[in-house]
Amino acid sequence: MNGHFAAVGKQPTATQYEHGIQVIDEDKAFNTSLNDYLIETQVAQAGFNYHLISVFGSQSTGKSTLLNHLFGTQFSVMSETERRQTTKGIWLSKNKKEGTNSSSVKMAENILVMDVEGTDGRERGEDQDFERKSALFALATSEVLIVNVWEHQVGLYQGANMGLLKTVFEVNLQLFLKDRQSQTRSLLFFVIRDHVGNTPLENLRNTLIQDLTKIWSSISKPQGLDNSKIEDYFDFAFAALPHKILQPEKFVSEVEKLGSRFTAGHRSTQGQEYEGGIFLPEYHRRIPADGLSVYAEGVWDQIVNNKDLDLPTQQELLAQFRCDEISREVLVGFDTVIAPLEEQHADATRSGKLIVLPDLGGTGSSAREKCVKAFETQASRYHKGVYTMKRGELESKIDTRLKALYQAQLVAAHKTGVAAFSDAVTNAVKSGQKAGGSYEFAEIVDKQKTKYLESFKKEAQGLFIPDVPWSNFKPQYRLFEKELDEVSAKLRKEEMRRLAIRVERWVKSRLGDTIGLEFNKLGSGRGGTGAPENGEKPPSEKDLWDRVWNSFISIVKDAESRFTDRAKSFEASAEEVEVGLWRLRRKSWVALREQIDDEVMESNILMKLRENFEDKFRYDEEGVPRIWRPTDDIEGIYTKARESTLSLVPLLSRFRLSATLAPPDLPAFIGHQPPSAEPEDEEDLLPIGGIDEEEGKSLEEETTILSESKRQDLVVRFKKMADGVYVEAKRSAIGGITQ
Ligand code: GDP
Ligand code: MG
């Protein structure tokens, strides 16, 4: 079908179409340039606003002459001297008198006239075949058939014209067999030539109608149409023209009058006659002008090949062909707009640098609307069923591409949005930290989330096309929101880590001060240099671990509430807080252990023991320094002081509370690992004896501050040192006497 319809276009030129266009040549070939001609004469874009007329009649009855006068056409006319056939096949020309008519009534727009070869075949002999075929062709396409007859032929029932009319009626019935539901009628417009005037037109008209009725009754009708009447299919109109050569002026003026009847008209209420011009809407074949050429070609093809002419099928085929053609045409415009955008997204995907095209929704829907509208304008004139289907196909073609494009756009908007959100939150936190750490994480997250959600929403809504369900991108929006929440959770976790680090540092520094102080107190054998001013009992060395533990507990409590307050402020969940506190307690304990280890480092602890010892040895009960005299019991005091200090070593060696004489209840203090803790929460945690069973270290070991060997070593070194002090004291006592 495509090949058949394919237009073989010659380049049209103005002079080429001077005489119109030969639609069917003498070899019965169809001229595919017809569409070019329609384009050239600007009929092609007229939709249904055109009219097609054919003229019938015997050879050399002045048909071409009539048309040329009536429509300003330039169909070939037999010269007065030669007398042989001039019109070959079927010619078509556009009315050239359109708009130039001097009479008050303007002719209808876009009248196309077909000059059909004279059909009583003086030159074609008995070739009734062509006559039949051209009649069928004219009937299938034309609204009005002008039948040209000499006045003196009227009433001659056997006249050549009557044979022709019989043919017209027969082929008409043939058409109606296939196209019964069609309301199409045709107008037979009898133009009586060389009307002398003796017989009034009214009488001629009656005679003609009688003849037509006779012919109608004589033709054999197909089954089901036996009782049909001629009026069921045809309307009739009549006109008479004076002799062109004898009354040339009158001829011209009458032709002009006749021309004024070629305007739109409507049936009068009486039903028989019509008002206005001769073109009634029901005559129109409803073939859009831009499909006329293809349709005519299809029709002619069937006629020439003696196939049953099936106009409804022809119209469907035409609709398919034209709708496809129009679809391709309108897609070109769509492509021009959309292809570069698709290219940009494809490039972006390839290079991994995603882009969000500005106003893609606006561009997309306007391209879509333009395309569909353009299709609708042209294609909706064709067969409704076919048009609806093809429109659906076009929309789905457009939508497949738009959908892919929009999805790429939203993927880009999603990914860039998530990244930008994450950066924005991180940067706001950073600048908050720089500005002294006073920032509200939750507020930052809320603000940025609102901002980025809003911009994604705007993008997604911008892509929405009313009544097009796939363009509702709510699910994508929800997905985006979900991912922002996930990113927020991740960032909040990081923020929790930062908070934890800050709090841990604070714990460490507090422990450094407090625990250092407790251990420094060891340095004074009597609770420092003298009794405390408030008169309280000086702290006993025996309470060291109670005080350490209590200070520790209170520092951690403090830290816990700091942590909790802050974490709550950025909307951390109860689980997250629980994990954070659990980590904090563990880390705090480890920090305490480190702090204690630091305090009992050999050099540190030895110094403290020495101070403790010297305090006891060199000062009396009142805290007054002793001046050794030879009479003093230096040895006794020395032994007492040494033993007293040495008794500290086992005390220092193990972290024991005085109330229970047992290690502090670390497991109860730290608590169970919260179920919501994740592996990464445990990553930087050091094992704690008695807590982390699988490490094989007991609570006993965890709370052992000095190992047995270290203890012995410490005792030995301390004794040496004490001995030194003793010897020095001895010497100074003796020295004091000799002095
Ligand atoms: P066609 O074959 O029917 O197209 O006839 P043409 O238009 O070629 O004219 C055939 C001949 O009839 C020409 O020589 C014309 O001059 C002549 N002719 C044209 N119009 C009239 C007319 O109204 N009356 C008469 N008697 N001759 C006419
Ligand atoms: Mg002619």
Side-chain angles (χ1 to χ4, degrees), residues 58-65 76-80 83 86-87 115 150 193-194 242-245 251:
S58 303
Q59 265 294 304
S60 305
T61 48
K63 297 185 299 291
S64 301
T65 305
S76 309
V77 175
M78 177 189 285
S79 83
E80 314 249 329
R83 310 221 56 86
T86 50
T87 304
D115 191 7
W150 297 120
R193 307 291 294 272
D194 288 2
H243 199 293
K244 178 184 173 264
I245 294 146
F251 177 82

Side-chain angles (χ1 to χ4, degrees), residues 286-318:
R286 310 301 295 169
I287 305 300
D290 57 2
L292 183 60
S293 171
V294 171
Y295 177 72
E297 186 182 3
V299 167
W300 183 251
D301 180 66
Q302 287 204 312
I303 293 173
V304 152
N305 294 305
N306 290 317
K307 291 186 195 143
D308 278 348
L309 188 50
D310 179 352
L311 294 186
T313 303
Q314 281 303 314
Q315 282 168 20
E316 255 180 68
L317 289 174
L318 169 69

Side-chain angles (χ1 to χ4, degrees), residues 426-439:
T426 310
N427 288 336
V429 167
K430 266 189 199 147
S431 66
Q433 282 168 337
K434 257 190 215 148
S438 70
Y439 61 93

Side-chain angles (χ1 to χ4, degrees), residues 83-145:
R83 310 221 56 86
R84 62 175 180 84
Q85 187 185 1
T86 50
T87 304
K88 300 230 193 290
I90 300 174
W91 282 76
L92 180 143
S93 176
K94 187 185 172 184
N95 174 22
K96 294 183 183 172
K97 285 213 170 152
E98 182 184 321
T100 63
N101 206 357
S102 54
S103 81
S104 56
V105 185
K106 253 182 102 184
M107 284 172 119
E109 289 176 332
N110 299 318
I111 298 175
L112 298 171
V113 193
M114 286 208 288
D115 191 7
V116 181
E117 178 187 340
T119 40
D120 55 350
R122 202 184 315 229
E123 325 239 322
R124 288 203 173 230
E126 292 308 301
D127 189 1
Q128 295 297 299
D129 182 56
F130 187 81
E131 175 183 297
R132 212 182 159 75
K133 286 186 157 80
S134 50
L136 200 46
F137 181 70
L139 261 179
T141 53
S142 308
E143 298 157 60
V144 175
L145 301 174

Side-chain angles (χ1 to χ4, degrees), residues 161-306:
N161 271 325
M162 295 301 139
L164 169 67
L165 285 169
K166 192 172 175 197
T167 306
V168 168
F169 293 159
E170 279 169 358
V171 298
N172 184 68
L173 281 175
Q174 190 184 326
L175 280 183
F176 271 82
L177 267 183
K178 292 279 182 186
D179 191 13
R180 279 176 206 227
Q181 62 273 64
S182 165
Q183 295 294 304
T184 318
R185 298 166 64 83
S186 308
L187 177 69
L188 287 181
F189 197 165
F190 288 87
V191 178
I192 298 155
R193 307 291 294 272
D194 288 2
H195 184 226
V196 183
N198 292 339
T199 318
L201 179 60
E202 189 60 25
N203 294 6
L204 294 169
R205 170 199 155 116
N206 289 339
T207 310
L208 276 170
I209 287 180
Q210 274 170 29
D211 282 356
L212 292 171
T213 313
K214 245 192 251 169
I215 296 169
W216 183 260
S217 61
S218 77
I219 61 170
S220 58
K221 297 171 194 74
Q223 260 198 337
L225 299 174
D226 315 79
N227 295 323
S228 59
K229 291 201 285 292
I230 189 167
E231 298 86 15
D232 296 341
Y233 305 101
F234 294 101
D235 286 336
F236 300 101
F238 301 89
L241 289 177
H243 199 293
K244 178 184 173 264
I245 294 146
L246 300 181
Q247 296 172 283
E249 274 153 43
K250 201 160 180 240
F251 177 82
V252 169
S253 67
E254 284 300 311
V255 166
E256 185 148 321
K257 243 190 244 166
L258 180 59
S260 69
R261 292 176 69 179
F262 287 83
T263 59
H266 53 90
R267 199 170 285 286
S268 73
T269 38
Q270 269 70 39
Q272 276 302 324
E273 294 299 321
Y274 44 84
E275 291 164 359
I278 56 165
F279 292 124
L280 301 196
E282 64 209 78
Y283 301 154
H284 206 286
R285 265 34 179 180
R286 310 301 295 169
I287 305 300
D290 57 2
L292 183 60
S293 171
V294 171
Y295 177 72
E297 186 182 3
V299 167
W300 183 251
D301 180 66
Q302 287 204 312
I303 293 173
V304 152
N305 294 305
N306 290 317

